[in-house]
Amino acid sequence: MRPRVIFFVVSLALLMSSIDQTIVATALPDIHHSLHASLTWTGWTITVYSLGRVLILPLAGGMSDRFGRRTIFLSSVGLFTVASLCCGLAGDIYVLIALRAIQAVGGAAFMPSATGLVVDHFGSSRDRAVGMFTSIIPIGALLGPTLGGVFVEYWSWRGIFLINVPIGAVLLVLGRRFIPAHEHDSEQAFPRDLKGMAFLATGLLGAMLGLALLGSGGIAIISVQFLLPEAAAVVGLWAFVRHSLHSPTSFIPAQLLYGDGFGLMNTINFLFGACALGFSALVPLYATQRYGMSALDSGTLLSARGIGMVSVSAVSTFALRRTGYRLPMLIGFLLTAGGLFAMALAPHGLSPYAWLSLAAGVTGLGMGVANPAAQNASLQLAPQHAAAISALRATFRQAGAILAVSVATTILARSSDPGLAQAYIFAAFAVVLVLILPLIRRVPEHHGTW
């Protein structure tokens, strides 16, 4: 019974993290108006969370391997819970952004430590266990928007953070009771790569800051205020890549960055994260700005996406041993692109709500088909590094989301018709997904267990 109980505990943590991502997207318009913040800085409540995850996820994967899954898991739950409480009490957009960054530190360690626990306890069934584990995300995507809409409609956006407090308390009690101590400790030295983290943070923060200043209005694209942080971003990212390739203690090991299939999977995950996660963050804002929907109605659009994901994730997981990884990824990416194209179009023969719900549901089907295959395609390359690889996959997806949301909110802030501009952004996401289909044909194929 112990593996099943552990699976339940870590799945509940992932559910909380998943709910938090979609629930904040639902409340974005209300936060924008309630705190009297610009749209660009309001968007940072999502992008700074993604940035924190990008920086901490690879570190959390290594920490999980070095210090034990249980220790990192319980520590992350505690930090996430306290930060959520503080976010719910924030009275200023800049304070909220800073607290979201702290919350990201806790949330970042959920996936790698939990994935490591599942891999450790399920033996030859770990491929299916990991697939089922990642299918928890759609359930959070289903619950989060509805909860967010209810809180915003009948109480306040603050409830979207405060809901995490009782869930986190339950997780701490169950985790301490049922997860074995000192699980999978390693004698391998833990890399404290502050230089690499500084390079990556400089690159991503510079890009985000330049886009935020541009989106705030009043400066031109050729101004020093925009070009200086963007130049710092280019230098920072170049230095990070160079450092990762040449440093033996890089917090993202070089072999996991570009070696034997990892480079290809990292590229695919980055682009898919930009399109799929970027889409998820922007849907409620799109429904509000283009069609004037309420917070509750716009939030349930993400629930439609969640229904699509939940309905196929389990089937896709159990079919992987027969289908391999390429076919479900091809089908999933095509479905996601089709849903994005439909989302960008004006409704045909249906109400706006029905049309957008249908389009969101199709994108959910695509993500539900593709996600288990994409997760296993990375892990089977080096299952002994399950926590680090899981963290790296999430890192590239979050980095893609940061880029997509930062660029999109900048465009919307300077657009005379934000709703229509966002429709074009969704169409561009769909085009990107179609263009990367040839890459999927080069994904390392595998059938059976690993």
Side-chain angles (χ1 to χ4, degrees):
M1 289 295 296
R2 182 177 292 274
R4 296 181 182 180
V5 175
I6 292 174
F7 185 89
F8 170 77
V9 173
V10 298
S11 295
L12 183 60
L14 184 59
L15 180 66
M16 179 172 69
S17 178
S18 178
I19 286 175
D20 187 74
Q21 291 185 11
T22 55
I23 206 172
V24 173
T26 303
L28 209 60
D30 199 57
I31 295 174
H32 168 52
H33 294 294
S34 175
L35 296 182
H36 308 290
S38 70
L39 181 60
T40 304
W41 288 112
T42 303
W44 271 56
T45 58
I46 293 177
T47 54
V48 79
Y49 185 82
S50 298
L51 175 63
R53 288 171 62 86
V54 165
L55 295 176
I56 300 301
L57 270 166
L59 197 63
M63 291 174 68
S64 178
D65 287 336
R66 174 65 181 90
F67 299 114
R69 322 288 200 203
R70 180 181 189 267
T71 300
I72 301 304
F73 178 78
L74 293 178
S75 299
S76 67
V77 170
L79 181 59
F80 186 87
T81 303
V82 173
S84 296
L85 175 62
C86 295
C87 284
L89 302 177
D92 180 88
I93 187 63
Y94 304 108
V95 173
L96 179 60
I97 290 171
L99 290 170
R100 282 284 282 169
I102 297 173
Q103 188 188 35
V105 175
F110 284 155
M111 176 62 85
S113 58
T115 302
L117 285 167
V118 170
V119 170
D120 290 343
H121 286 88
F122 278 83
S124 63
S125 299
R126 59 190 177 184
D127 57 326
R128 289 181 172 175
V130 167
M132 289 299 295
F133 180 64
T134 54
S135 71
I136 300 299
I137 296 175
I139 299 177
L142 177 61
L143 296 176
T146 303
L147 287 174
V150 169
F151 281 128
V152 171
E153 194 78 14
Y154 298 105
W155 182 28
S156 166
W157 60 267
R158 300 181 186 277
I160 68 176
F161 298 110
L162 298 178
I163 188 64
N164 292 327
V165 177
I167 300 176
V170 170
L171 279 171
L172 287 173
V173 173
L174 293 178
R176 289 182 62 86
R177 171 66 179 83
F178 292 107
I179 298 177
H182 310 298
E183 192 67 38
H184 199 69
D185 287 350
S186 171
E187 297 301 323
Q188 181 180 359
F190 174 67
R192 295 173 177 85
D193 183 21
L194 298 181
K195 181 184 291 187
M197 294 180 66
F199 287 149
L200 183 57
T202 299
L204 293 176
L205 274 174
M208 289 171 60
L209 180 60
L211 290 170
L213 293 173
L214 184 65
S216 298
I219 66 172
I221 197 169
I222 58 172
S223 65
V224 175
Q225 295 97 317
F226 172 71
L227 293 179
L228 187 60
E230 294 305 314
V234 172
V235 173
L237 292 175
W238 173 82
F240 166 71
V241 172
R242 187 174 184 275
H243 172 78
S244 296
L245 296 179
H246 294 91
S247 172
T249 60
S250 173
F251 80 111
I252 298 182
Q255 67 270 24
L256 299 186
L257 194 63
Y258 70 92
D260 292 343
F262 287 113
L264 175 64
M265 289 305 304
N266 291 336
T267 301
I268 291 174
N269 282 322
F270 176 83
L271 295 173
F272 188 69
C275 299
L277 299 185
F279 154 77
S280 302
L282 296 169
V283 164
L285 189 65
Y286 175 60
T288 300
Q289 291 187 328
R290 188 174 187 186
Y291 298 105
M293 293 185 186
S294 67
L296 183 57
D297 286 343
S298 64
T300 56
L301 295 177
L302 289 179
S303 295
R305 187 203 64 161
I307 291 173
M309 294 175 70
V310 169
S311 64
V312 297
S313 289
V315 175
S316 179
T317 295
F318 283 95
L320 282 180
R321 293 182 183 180
R322 292 183 177 273
T323 63
Y325 303 141
R326 294 175 184 172
L327 181 61
M329 289 179 68
L330 285 169
I331 295 173
F333 280 37
L334 279 172
L335 284 172
T336 305
L340 286 168
F341 271 125
M343 184 72 67
L345 297 175
H348 295 281
L350 296 172
S351 68
Y353 179 79
W355 178 264
L356 295 182
S357 296
L358 180 62
V362 172
T363 62
L365 287 173
M367 295 171 69
V369 171
N371 276 335
Q375 174 78 337
N376 278 274
S378 296
L379 289 176
Q380 66 93 19
L381 294 172
Q384 70 274 19
H385 298 297
I389 294 170
S390 176
L392 197 59
R393 172 181 178 269
T395 295
F396 276 93
R397 290 200 172 191
Q398 292 293 336
I402 289 173
L403 176 65
V405 175
S406 297
V407 172
T409 53
T410 299
I411 293 172
L412 298 180
R414 299 176 70 92
S415 173
S416 59
D417 188 347
L420 186 60
Q422 198 164 342
Y424 289 127
I425 291 171
F426 287 156
F429 286 166
V431 171
V432 170
L433 287 178
V434 172
L435 291 177
I436 64 177
L437 290 178
L439 294 180
I440 297 176
R441 300 187 63 85
R442 297 170 53 197
V443 169
E445 187 61 287
H446 183 83
H447 293 79
T449 61
W450 49 265

